Amino acid sequence: MEAVVSTQSTGEAELKGHNNWVRDVAWAPDTGFTTSTIASCCQDGKVFIWQCKDLDKANWDIKRTMHTFDDVVWHLSWSVMGDILAVSGGDNKITLWKESHKGAWICISKQDTTKAN
């Protein structure tokens, strides 16, 4: 399976890497860096982080598999600063992830929506 993203300069780019239905793709906000970043999630529970240094060439690379969840991942959303990624899925949990200075993604918060407050 592949995600198809649209860019202003090239129109579309295929991102190949997922092995099942891609459920969501989220662009990280432009924070002034020269690299563009997106996240994609899949029916197989994987979340990929993609980066592109030159949008004119639309040469997207998988930076890493951020995490593999036990259930389908339905939705992704970046924070306004683009440094935290919210992930929700079929397990009814919402998790917040932040990249460490070494490049690993760390879960910084979990919310289980099946439990009453």
Side-chain angles (χ1 to χ4, degrees):
M1 292 292 170
E2 59 211 34
V4 177
V5 278
S6 296
T7 63
Q8 288 180 337
S9 57
T10 60
E12 292 182 351
E14 290 183 19
L15 307 181
K16 296 183 180 183
H18 287 294
N19 294 321
N20 210 315
W21 289 96
V22 174
R23 294 298 178 179
D24 198 13
V25 176
W27 284 82
D30 182 5
T31 56
F33 292 110
T34 58
T35 303
S36 295
T37 303
I38 60 175
S40 62
C41 63
C42 183
Q43 182 77 24
D44 64 8
K46 291 182 181 175
V47 175
F48 289 154
I49 305 297
W50 304 80
Q51 289 192 325
C52 181
K53 293 183 179 179
D54 186 353
L55 289 177
D56 290 331
K57 294 180 182 174
N59 189 15
W60 289 91
D61 294 313
I62 296 176
K63 181 177 179 188
R64 71 175 42 240
T65 301
M66 187 202 80
H67 189 75
T68 300
F69 293 85
D70 294 331
D71 207 336
V72 59
V73 180
W74 294 111
H75 189 67
L76 304 166
S77 183
W78 290 97
S79 66
V80 175
M81 295 300 295
D83 60 342
I84 296 173
L85 182 65
V87 179
S88 64
D91 59 0
N92 293 322
K93 294 180 182 172
I94 300 167
T95 52
L96 300 180
W97 296 80
K98 185 174 178 86
E99 188 176 19
S100 73
H101 66 282
K102 293 182 179 181
W105 284 83
I106 300 166
C107 182
I108 59 172
S109 180
K110 295 180 184 179
Q111 176 64 43
D112 188 342
T113 59
T114 61
K115 296 180 182 177
N117 292 338

